[in-house]
Amino acid sequence: MKTPNLRSPFAGWYAIRNRFGSWRIDRRTPPVLVGALGLMLVAMAINISVGEYPIPLPDVLRTLFGLPTGNADYSFIVTTLRLPRMLVAALVGLALGIAGAITQGLTRNPLAEPGILGISAGASFAAVALIVVVRTAPTSAVPVAALAGAISVALVIYLLAWRGGDSPIRLILVGIGLGAICNALTTLMITFGDIYDVQRAIIWLTGSVYGRSWPEFWSLAGWVAVFVPLALALARDLNALHLGEEVAYGLGTPVVWRRGLLLITAVALASATVAAAGAVGFVGLMAPHIARRLVGPDQTGVLPAAGVLGALIVVVADLIGRTIFAPIELPVGLITAVVGAPFFISLLWMQARA
């Protein structure tokens, strides 16, 4: 193969082609992506149609495609109230699924998820402090505080875990320790806070997409648009890192640099979801495991599959939460916890047997 002239104006194109030219995915991945995406769209349409003001499913589809329905209220209910909520739910699941796959690949621990690094705990601590302690802060500042808390904790974790090189085990241990500290401080504030403020904080901590509108969607979509493509571009490096540092170095992977970039990507995706919808747990644990069962261990297939499956999980969880005890709505984080906790226990049991 002819070596390109690096001084050529096409040198950048050669670099991009070499980077992505051999990017291949398992043949099982496209059917899984199409199937999960189709199920997610069906769940979203059903979710939009149900509620205190039910809308026939054909009218939901007509409204989404801009066709007349004979009822002027449908447009407001679908496009202003329910559609942005569904899109936020899908993006939250997408980001958590990919962040979970990256976390498990980096730490080489199948039980890892973004929450194990203390990211969710840091976001929760900052948000609860704003709600319970500051009190006068506007509601719109809560997502900003959550995002700042998640990023701050992630930065502290990485700095403390760095000692002549980063270690996956050290990252987990430091993350668990800082997460425990943040959770303890959060519990302390809830215990001694005003009852009204505490109720607001607990609802936010549970994880919910209730009342989410277009501003929340566009804010989250910006993070997803930047970091999801970056995660997919780093999938081959994640394959190498998952095999161990020595193998990764042997394959020519700049381990410290790539690991740091992948960690930043996972933190950004996870913290953005906490800022948009609160702490939605176990999605980052379940989606990568299901993806690996369906598409194999190659991260070039696991990452996109985990993202789409994560979106499906959150949308279906929100549908269950809205319908199981209607007209009472359960937070999506409660549904994912009810399903995710037994899933986590089964993983522990299988690992103990192995």
Side-chain angles (χ1 to χ4, degrees):
M1 178 178 177
K2 184 178 179 181
T3 303
N5 181 7
L6 296 180
R7 295 182 180 179
S8 162
F10 299 102
W13 159 251
Y14 281 120
I16 295 173
R17 189 189 68 177
N18 291 336
R19 177 70 184 164
F20 294 99
S22 59
W23 197 82
R24 298 290 185 268
I25 60 176
D26 191 283
R27 62 182 181 180
R28 293 171 290 182
T29 303
V32 170
L33 293 178
V34 172
L37 184 61
L39 290 174
M40 184 193 69
L41 293 176
V42 170
M44 289 178 68
I46 296 173
N47 210 340
I48 292 173
S49 70
V50 300
E52 293 185 12
Y53 196 110
I55 302 175
L57 193 56
D59 287 332
V60 171
L61 299 178
R62 292 190 188 98
T63 303
L64 291 175
F65 287 102
L67 301 176
T69 60
N71 190 327
D73 294 335
Y74 287 171
S75 177
F76 173 76
I77 294 172
V78 171
T79 60
T80 303
L81 299 181
R82 296 180 182 173
L83 180 60
R85 170 177 178 160
M86 288 300 94
L87 293 176
V88 168
L91 289 185
V92 165
L94 173 70
L96 286 176
I98 292 179
I102 292 174
T103 304
Q104 292 176 10
L106 281 178
T107 60
R108 301 194 291 277
N109 186 344
L111 301 178
E113 65 155 345
I116 201 172
L117 296 181
I119 298 168
S120 299
S124 301
F125 167 72
V128 171
L130 192 71
I131 295 172
V132 177
V133 178
V134 179
R135 302 185 64 182
T136 57
T139 304
S140 59
V142 175
V144 178
L147 191 61
I151 295 176
S152 299
V153 168
L155 180 61
V156 173
I157 290 171
Y158 202 72
L159 291 176
L160 292 177
W162 186 283
R163 188 183 304 165
D166 48 356
S167 167
I169 299 299
R170 201 181 308 139
L171 284 173
I172 292 177
L173 294 177
V174 173
I176 291 174
L178 282 180
I181 294 173
C182 290
N183 286 330
L185 294 174
T186 301
T187 303
L188 185 66
M189 288 186 291
I190 289 176
T191 302
F192 293 100
D194 180 78
I195 185 63
Y196 173 74
D197 297 324
V198 167
Q199 287 178 340
R200 289 176 56 209
I202 290 177
I203 292 174
W204 190 88
L205 285 173
T206 307
S208 175
V209 292
Y210 176 80
R212 297 303 183 268
S213 57
W214 288 112
E216 287 87 359
F217 166 74
W218 290 116
S219 176
L220 181 56
W223 289 81
V224 169
V226 172
F227 288 100
V228 167
L230 179 60
L232 298 179
L234 295 170
R236 288 192 303 159
D237 295 314
L238 187 58
N239 274 332
L241 291 170
H242 187 68
L243 297 174
E245 289 190 7
E246 293 183 1
V247 175
Y249 278 121
L251 294 173
T253 303
V255 172
V256 175
W257 168 246
R258 290 289 191 266
R259 182 181 288 156
L261 193 56
L262 282 163
L263 182 61
I264 291 172
T265 302
V267 168
L269 290 174
S271 59
T273 63
V274 175
V280 180
F282 292 102
V283 177
L285 175 71
M286 294 186 290
H289 277 278
I290 299 172
R292 279 191 291 271
R293 287 291 185 94
L294 295 176
V295 304
D298 189 349
Q299 298 292 345
T300 57
V302 169
L303 288 181
V308 178
L309 289 168
L312 174 62
I313 290 171
V314 175
V315 170
V316 172
D318 187 53
L319 175 60
I320 294 172
R322 295 185 63 219
T323 57
I324 190 170
F325 293 120
I328 299 173
E329 292 190 12
L330 298 179
V332 65
L334 179 61
I335 304 300
T336 58
V338 168
V339 177
F343 187 88
F344 180 74
I345 293 172
S346 67
L347 289 177
L348 284 175
W349 181 74
M350 286 187 291
Q351 283 222 327
R353 290 191 62 186

